[in-house]
Amino acid sequence: MEDQYQFHTGYHDHLHPEASINFQMNRWINYLGAEALEDMQSIALRLTDLPSYRREFLALAEKALAQGRDLHAAYYFRSAEFFMQENDPARLPARQKFMELILNKVQVPRDVQFKVPYRDNNTTGMLPAYRFPSERPKATLLVHGGFDSYIEEFFPILFHLQERGFTVVCFEGPGQGGALLDSKLLQTHEWHKPVSAVLDYFDLDRVVLIGISWGGCLALRAAALEPRIRQVVAYDVFLDWMDTTLSKLKPIAPLIRLLLKIRAAGPFNALLQTIMQHSPLFDWAMRQAMLLLGASTSFEVFEKSRLYTTRDISSQVRQDVLLMAGAEDHIVPLSHYYEQARLLVNARSLTTRLFTRDEQAQNHCQIGNLGLAVDFITGWIESTCQRSDG
């Protein structure tokens, strides 16, 4: 698998003027290399709105498939599906093509694919999981994503971790991938519950928990309440969902907070509807949040998002912690990196790492230099394992 995954180095700032679109395009270049850069450049000027994004990436996926570039096609189907609304008839077929192509291309055998039973009060379902073993592993890593991610997206990272001598167990929890779309499991801020279910299922102890993107918040929340976690990696920092959202709405953030405080749901929903009408990307994000939280209004989303913070639980984290951030993250405010570090007052040890433009790793989750990020994570795990074992 190593020959299929050679991380491309370099963040391309000017593929598209919209930061979120530009970031998505860079994701696929990081995984796929120079051919993907040429592909992105070929469609960039035609990406004028989300319908054109959907259309162009579906066409690009079909083109790559016809050329025998199955891995490219897989990620382009995923890219097209990423911004589709829940009721888009093309969404499920695009997801199925992504799953079929990536599993076949990297030849993931059936015996490493699992469905973990999950129960939370009256809620039951299955958590999709994979276990990629390593002979005489240095440690067992437990990995999950964040906001509406598919764990298969991260195969390049996961296989690199495996190649470096770790057994990797990865899963989708409530609100993510197959757990949401197949089992209808809604997102939970009590992330220790799905983590514990996976640990029980695989009979694991003394694991390293790695939360990717918004998973940086979820992983710290789980670590605070699950003693079988020995080390935790926030890859990257994600301190507070609502604060992160409001950072994108700075001129009216005080008004939004006031309407929430006085529980003025009607005016709140009317205000958010106006914002959604003028910002297709914000509209998409809110509708995705409604889907994974089981919310029917913007007010419900913001009310539930209050629970997704580490402020209330960071002092209970007692493991070795690696806290990572990009100096120019287009999603998470840089101030959250410093605040999160200050809040981890009882961590056994705390290592912080801020990645910069000079390293081509300045953006969210170090898209631009994934190799550097993975190398830093593995080096930190090895050093902290040796220290705690000694």
Side-chain angles (χ1 to χ4, degrees), residues 1-6 71 103 105-109 112 132 155-156 158-160 162-163:
M1 296 175 186
E2 189 171 2
D3 61 334
Q4 296 183 50
Y5 291 125
Q6 295 293 326
L71 198 59
L103 291 174
K105 179 63 179 177
V106 301
Q107 298 179 334
V108 177
V112 304
F132 301 117
F155 275 176
L158 303 176
F159 292 145
H160 270 72
Q162 182 191 29
E163 288 163 6

PDB file of all heavy atoms in Angstrom, residues 1-6 71 103 105-109 112 132 155-156 158-160 162-163:
ATOM      1  N   MET A   1       0.810  -1.199   0.000  1.00  0.00           N
ATOM      2  CA  MET A   1       0.000   0.000   0.000  1.00  0.00           C
ATOM      3  C   MET A   1       0.851   1.260   0.000  1.00  0.00           C
ATOM      4  O   MET A   1       0.387   2.328  -0.359  1.00  0.00           O
ATOM      5  CB  MET A   1      -0.922   0.017   1.213  1.00  0.00           C
ATOM      6  CG  MET A   1      -1.946  -1.114   1.207  1.00  0.00           C
ATOM      7  SD  MET A   1      -2.905  -1.157   2.716  1.00  0.00           S
ATOM      8  CE  MET A   1      -3.838  -2.659   2.443  1.00  0.00           C
ATOM      9  N   GLU A   2       2.105   1.122   0.421  1.00  0.00           N
ATOM     10  CA  GLU A   2       2.961   2.299   0.541  1.00  0.00           C
ATOM     11  C   GLU A   2       3.139   2.999  -0.794  1.00  0.00           C
ATOM     12  O   GLU A   2       3.192   4.227  -0.865  1.00  0.00           O
ATOM     13  CB  GLU A   2       4.318   1.892   1.122  1.00  0.00           C
ATOM     14  CG  GLU A   2       5.193   3.068   1.483  1.00  0.00           C
ATOM     15  CD  GLU A   2       6.423   2.633   2.240  1.00  0.00           C
ATOM     16  OE1 GLU A   2       6.612   1.432   2.455  1.00  0.00           O
ATOM     17  OE2 GLU A   2       7.193   3.528   2.621  1.00  0.00           O
ATOM     18  N   ASP A   3       3.214   2.233  -1.903  1.00  0.00           N
ATOM     19  CA  ASP A   3       3.433   2.846  -3.201  1.00  0.00           C
ATOM     20  C   ASP A   3       2.210   3.610  -3.674  1.00  0.00           C
ATOM     21  O   ASP A   3       2.295   4.484  -4.524  1.00  0.00           O
ATOM     22  CB  ASP A   3       3.825   1.790  -4.242  1.00  0.00           C
ATOM     23  CG  ASP A   3       2.753   0.737  -4.432  1.00  0.00           C
ATOM     24  OD1 ASP A   3       1.967   0.512  -3.490  1.00  0.00           O
ATOM     25  OD2 ASP A   3       2.701   0.141  -5.513  1.00  0.00           O
ATOM     26  N   GLN A   4       1.025   3.306  -3.116  1.00  0.00           N
ATOM     27  CA  GLN A   4      -0.182   4.008  -3.518  1.00  0.00           C
ATOM     28  C   GLN A   4      -0.318   5.334  -2.788  1.00  0.00           C
ATOM     29  O   GLN A   4      -1.009   6.228  -3.246  1.00  0.00           O
ATOM     30  CB  GLN A   4      -1.405   3.143  -3.221  1.00  0.00           C
ATOM     31  CG  GLN A   4      -1.452   1.843  -4.012  1.00  0.00           C
ATOM     32  CD  GLN A   4      -2.718   1.080  -3.720  1.00  0.00           C
ATOM     33  OE1 GLN A   4      -3.792   1.629  -3.774  1.00  0.00           O
ATOM     34  NE2 GLN A   4      -2.581  -0.198  -3.394  1.00  0.00           N
ATOM     35  N   TYR A   5       0.305   5.484  -1.632  1.00  0.00           N
ATOM     36  CA  TYR A   5       0.105   6.653  -0.798  1.00  0.00           C
ATOM     37  C   TYR A   5       1.432   7.346  -0.529  1.00  0.00           C
ATOM     38  O   TYR A   5       2.159   6.997   0.387  1.00  0.00           O
ATOM     39  CB  TYR A   5      -0.560   6.260   0.522  1.00  0.00           C
ATOM     40  CG  TYR A   5      -1.985   5.818   0.368  1.00  0.00           C
ATOM     41  CD1 TYR A   5      -2.404   4.591   0.848  1.00  0.00           C
ATOM     42  CD2 TYR A   5      -2.923   6.643  -0.255  1.00  0.00           C
ATOM     43  CE1 TYR A   5      -3.723   4.196   0.716  1.00  0.00           C
ATOM     44  CE2 TYR A   5      -4.245   6.255  -0.393  1.00  0.00           C
ATOM     45  CZ  TYR A   5      -4.635   5.033   0.102  1.00  0.00           C
ATOM     46  OH  TYR A   5      -5.932   4.642  -0.027  1.00  0.00           O
ATOM     47  N   GLN A   6       1.749   8.310  -1.348  1.00  0.00           N
ATOM     48  CA  GLN A   6       2.893   9.167  -1.116  1.00  0.00           C
ATOM     49  C   GLN A   6       2.355  10.578  -0.968  1.00  0.00           C
ATOM     50  O   GLN A   6       1.878  11.170  -1.923  1.00  0.00           O
ATOM     51  CB  GLN A   6       3.894   9.073  -2.287  1.00  0.00           C
ATOM     52  CG  GLN A   6       4.540   7.710  -2.456  1.00  0.00           C
ATOM     53  CD  GLN A   6       5.459   7.357  -1.307  1.00  0.00           C
ATOM     54  OE1 GLN A   6       6.112   8.218  -0.731  1.00  0.00           O
ATOM     55  NE2 GLN A   6       5.505   6.082  -0.943  1.00  0.00           N
ATOM     56  N   LEU A  71      -8.333   5.253  -7.675  1.00  0.00           N
ATOM     57  CA  LEU A  71      -8.194   5.953  -6.405  1.00  0.00           C
ATOM     58  C   LEU A  71      -8.587   7.423  -6.559  1.00  0.00           C
ATOM     59  O   LEU A  71      -9.251   7.997  -5.680  1.00  0.00           O
ATOM     60  CB  LEU A  71      -6.766   5.833  -5.888  1.00  0.00           C
ATOM     61  CG  LEU A  71      -6.553   6.131  -4.401  1.00  0.00           C
ATOM     62  CD1 LEU A  71      -7.390   5.191  -3.531  1.00  0.00           C
ATOM     63  CD2 LEU A  71      -5.077   6.012  -4.040  1.00  0.00           C
ATOM     64  N   LEU A 103     -12.221   0.628  -1.260  1.00  0.00           N
ATOM     65  CA  LEU A 103     -11.997  -0.673  -0.634  1.00  0.00           C
ATOM     66  C   LEU A 103     -11.375  -1.657  -1.612  1.00  0.00           C
ATOM     67  O   LEU A 103     -10.507  -2.462  -1.246  1.00  0.00           O
ATOM     68  CB  LEU A 103     -13.304  -1.227  -0.072  1.00  0.00           C
ATOM     69  CG  LEU A 103     -13.870  -0.485   1.140  1.00  0.00           C
ATOM     70  CD1 LEU A 103     -15.238  -1.036   1.513  1.00  0.00           C
ATOM     71  CD2 LEU A 103     -12.927  -0.577   2.330  1.00  0.00           C
ATOM     72  N   LYS A 105      -9.580  -0.788  -4.370  1.00  0.00           N
ATOM     73  CA  LYS A 105      -8.270  -0.310  -4.811  1.00  0.00           C
ATOM     74  C   LYS A 105      -7.186  -0.656  -3.803  1.00  0.00           C
ATOM     75  O   LYS A 105      -6.089  -1.098  -4.172  1.00  0.00           O
ATOM     76  CB  LYS A 105      -8.315   1.205  -5.038  1.00  0.00           C
ATOM     77  CG  LYS A 105      -6.984   1.811  -5.488  1.00  0.00           C
ATOM     78  CD  LYS A 105      -6.541   1.262  -6.833  1.00  0.00           C
ATOM     79  CE  LYS A 105      -5.237   1.887  -7.296  1.00  0.00           C
ATOM     80  NZ  LYS A 105      -4.762   1.310  -8.566  1.00  0.00           N
ATOM     81  N   VAL A 106      -7.470  -0.461  -2.520  1.00  0.00           N
ATOM     82  CA  VAL A 106      -6.446  -0.743  -1.513  1.00  0.00           C
ATOM     83  C   VAL A 106      -6.538  -2.163  -0.985  1.00  0.00           C
ATOM     84  O   VAL A 106      -5.785  -2.553  -0.097  1.00  0.00           O
ATOM     85  CB  VAL A 106      -6.508   0.269  -0.346  1.00  0.00           C
ATOM     86  CG1 VAL A 106      -6.318   1.685  -0.854  1.00  0.00           C
ATOM     87  CG2 VAL A 106      -7.810   0.161   0.427  1.00  0.00           C
ATOM     88  N   GLN A 107      -7.497  -2.921  -1.539  1.00  0.00           N
ATOM     89  CA  GLN A 107      -7.636  -4.353  -1.248  1.00  0.00           C
ATOM     90  C   GLN A 107      -7.754  -4.604   0.260  1.00  0.00           C
ATOM     91  O   GLN A 107      -6.962  -5.338   0.858  1.00  0.00           O
ATOM     92  CB  GLN A 107      -6.458  -5.135  -1.842  1.00  0.00           C
ATOM     93  CG  GLN A 107      -6.377  -5.027  -3.363  1.00  0.00           C
ATOM     94  CD  GLN A 107      -5.213  -5.782  -3.955  1.00  0.00           C
ATOM     95  OE1 GLN A 107      -4.210  -6.000  -3.297  1.00  0.00           O
ATOM     96  NE2 GLN A 107      -5.350  -6.191  -5.195  1.00  0.00           N
ATOM     97  N   VAL A 108      -8.765  -3.957   0.841  1.00  0.00           N
ATOM     98  CA  VAL A 108      -9.031  -4.150   2.270  1.00  0.00           C
ATOM     99  C   VAL A 108      -9.780  -5.467   2.446  1.00  0.00           C
ATOM    100  O   VAL A 108     -10.922  -5.604   2.009  1.00  0.00           O
ATOM    101  CB  VAL A 108      -9.865  -2.987   2.835  1.00  0.00           C
ATOM    102  CG1 VAL A 108     -10.195  -3.231   4.315  1.00  0.00           C
ATOM    103  CG2 VAL A 108      -9.114  -1.664   2.667  1.00  0.00           C
ATOM    104  N   PRO A 109      -9.173  -6.463   3.087  1.00  0.00           N
ATOM    105  CA  PRO A 109      -9.831  -7.767   3.221  1.00  0.00           C
ATOM    106  C   PRO A 109     -11.003  -7.717   4.192  1.00  0.00           C
ATOM    107  O   PRO A 109     -11.071  -6.857   5.075  1.00  0.00           O
ATOM    108  CB  PRO A 109      -8.716  -8.680   3.746  1.00  0.00           C
ATOM    109  CG  PRO A 109      -7.755  -7.755   4.411  1.00  0.00           C
ATOM    110  CD  PRO A 109      -7.823  -6.459   3.673  1.00  0.00           C
ATOM    111  N   VAL A 112     -10.656  -7.669   8.218  1.00  0.00           N
ATOM    112  CA  VAL A 112     -10.268  -6.503   9.015  1.00  0.00           C
ATOM    113  C   VAL A 112     -11.420  -5.501   9.114  1.00  0.00           C
ATOM    114  O   VAL A 112     -11.261  -4.424   9.688  1.00  0.00           O
ATOM    115  CB  VAL A 112      -9.012  -5.803   8.447  1.00  0.00           C
ATOM    116  CG1 VAL A 112      -7.856  -6.779   8.345  1.00  0.00           C
ATOM    117  CG2 VAL A 112      -9.290  -5.126   7.121  1.00  0.00           C
ATOM    118  N   PHE A 132      -6.307  -2.753  11.506  1.00  0.00           N
ATOM    119  CA  PHE A 132      -5.134  -2.991  10.669  1.00  0.00           C
ATOM    120  C   PHE A 132      -3.980  -3.381  11.593  1.00  0.00           C
ATOM    121  O   PHE A 132      -3.379  -2.521  12.249  1.00  0.00           O
ATOM    122  CB  PHE A 132      -4.786  -1.745   9.858  1.00  0.00           C
ATOM    123  CG  PHE A 132      -5.901  -1.291   8.946  1.00  0.00           C
ATOM    124  CD1 PHE A 132      -6.509  -0.061   9.115  1.00  0.00           C
ATOM    125  CD2 PHE A 132      -6.343  -2.108   7.912  1.00  0.00           C
ATOM    126  CE1 PHE A 132      -7.524   0.354   8.284  1.00  0.00           C
ATOM    127  CE2 PHE A 132      -7.367  -1.710   7.069  1.00  0.00           C
ATOM    128  CZ  PHE A 132      -7.962  -0.470   7.258  1.00  0.00           C
ATOM    129  N   PHE A 155      -7.640   6.656   5.049  1.00  0.00           N
ATOM    130  CA  PHE A 155      -6.810   5.480   4.799  1.00  0.00           C
ATOM    131  C   PHE A 155      -5.342   5.828   4.564  1.00  0.00           C
ATOM    132  O   PHE A 155      -4.457   5.128   5.078  1.00  0.00           O
ATOM    133  CB  PHE A 155      -7.360   4.674   3.624  1.00  0.00           C
ATOM    134  CG  PHE A 155      -8.442   3.687   3.991  1.00  0.00           C
ATOM    135  CD1 PHE A 155      -9.093   2.956   3.008  1.00  0.00           C
ATOM    136  CD2 PHE A 155      -8.811   3.468   5.313  1.00  0.00           C
ATOM    137  CE1 PHE A 155     -10.088   2.033   3.340  1.00  0.00           C
ATOM    138  CE2 PHE A 155      -9.804   2.559   5.655  1.00  0.00           C
ATOM    139  CZ  PHE A 155     -10.435   1.837   4.657  1.00  0.00           C
ATOM    140  N   PRO A 156      -5.018   6.878   3.787  1.00  0.00           N
ATOM    141  CA  PRO A 156      -3.583   7.176   3.610  1.00  0.00           C
ATOM    142  C   PRO A 156      -2.861   7.421   4.925  1.00  0.00           C
ATOM    143  O   PRO A 156      -1.745   6.951   5.126  1.00  0.00           O
ATOM    144  CB  PRO A 156      -3.609   8.442   2.741  1.00  0.00           C
ATOM    145  CG  PRO A 156      -4.902   8.365   2.004  1.00  0.00           C
ATOM    146  CD  PRO A 156      -5.872   7.757   2.968  1.00  0.00           C
ATOM    147  N   LEU A 158      -3.904   6.351   7.955  1.00  0.00           N
ATOM    148  CA  LEU A 158      -3.969   5.135   8.761  1.00  0.00           C
ATOM    149  C   LEU A 158      -2.931   4.115   8.318  1.00  0.00           C
ATOM    150  O   LEU A 158      -2.294   3.451   9.147  1.00  0.00           O
ATOM    151  CB  LEU A 158      -5.373   4.533   8.691  1.00  0.00           C
ATOM    152  CG  LEU A 158      -6.502   5.468   9.141  1.00  0.00           C
ATOM    153  CD1 LEU A 158      -7.856   4.800   8.941  1.00  0.00           C
ATOM    154  CD2 LEU A 158      -6.314   5.882  10.589  1.00  0.00           C
ATOM    155  N   PHE A 159      -2.745   3.968   7.007  1.00  0.00           N
ATOM    156  CA  PHE A 159      -1.765   3.004   6.512  1.00  0.00           C
ATOM    157  C   PHE A 159      -0.342   3.456   6.811  1.00  0.00           C
ATOM    158  O   PHE A 159       0.539   2.627   7.051  1.00  0.00           O
ATOM    159  CB  PHE A 159      -1.959   2.750   5.021  1.00  0.00           C
ATOM    160  CG  PHE A 159      -3.234   2.016   4.701  1.00  0.00           C
ATOM    161  CD1 PHE A 159      -3.948   2.297   3.549  1.00  0.00           C
ATOM    162  CD2 PHE A 159      -3.728   1.044   5.553  1.00  0.00           C
ATOM    163  CE1 PHE A 159      -5.115   1.625   3.256  1.00  0.00           C
ATOM    164  CE2 PHE A 159      -4.901   0.372   5.270  1.00  0.00           C
ATOM    165  CZ  PHE A 159      -5.600   0.658   4.119  1.00  0.00           C
ATOM    166  N   HIS A 160      -0.115   4.757   6.786  1.00  0.00           N
ATOM    167  CA  HIS A 160       1.209   5.233   7.187  1.00  0.00           C
ATOM    168  C   HIS A 160       1.480   4.927   8.656  1.00  0.00           C
ATOM    169  O   HIS A 160       2.597   4.553   9.030  1.00  0.00           O
ATOM    170  CB  HIS A 160       1.332   6.743   6.934  1.00  0.00           C
ATOM    171  CG  HIS A 160       1.862   7.084   5.580  1.00  0.00           C
ATOM    172  ND1 HIS A 160       1.120   6.917   4.428  1.00  0.00           N
ATOM    173  CD2 HIS A 160       3.062   7.564   5.188  1.00  0.00           C
ATOM    174  CE1 HIS A 160       1.841   7.291   3.388  1.00  0.00           C
ATOM    175  NE2 HIS A 160       3.024   7.686   3.822  1.00  0.00           N
ATOM    176  N   GLN A 162       0.228   2.426  10.308  1.00  0.00           N
ATOM    177  CA  GLN A 162       0.464   0.980  10.367  1.00  0.00           C
ATOM    178  C   GLN A 162       1.880   0.639   9.899  1.00  0.00           C
ATOM    179  O   GLN A 162       2.571  -0.175  10.515  1.00  0.00           O
ATOM    180  CB  GLN A 162      -0.571   0.243   9.514  1.00  0.00           C
ATOM    181  CG  GLN A 162      -0.435  -1.276   9.561  1.00  0.00           C
ATOM    182  CD  GLN A 162      -1.283  -1.969   8.510  1.00  0.00           C
ATOM    183  OE1 GLN A 162      -1.541  -1.408   7.439  1.00  0.00           O
ATOM    184  NE2 GLN A 162      -1.713  -3.191   8.801  1.00  0.00           N
ATOM    185  N   GLU A 163       2.310   1.269   8.832  1.00  0.00           N
ATOM    186  CA  GLU A 163       3.644   1.003   8.297  1.00  0.00           C
ATOM    187  C   GLU A 163       4.750   1.386   9.288  1.00  0.00           C
ATOM    188  O   GLU A 163       5.849   0.837   9.233  1.00  0.00           O
ATOM    189  CB  GLU A 163       3.839   1.767   6.989  1.00  0.00           C
ATOM    190  CG  GLU A 163       3.031   1.184   5.823  1.00  0.00           C
ATOM    191  CD  GLU A 163       2.915   2.169   4.672  1.00  0.00           C
ATOM    192  OE1 GLU A 163       3.554   3.239   4.740  1.00  0.00           O
ATOM    193  OE2 GLU A 163       2.175   1.869   3.724  1.00  0.00           O
TER     194      GLU A 163
END
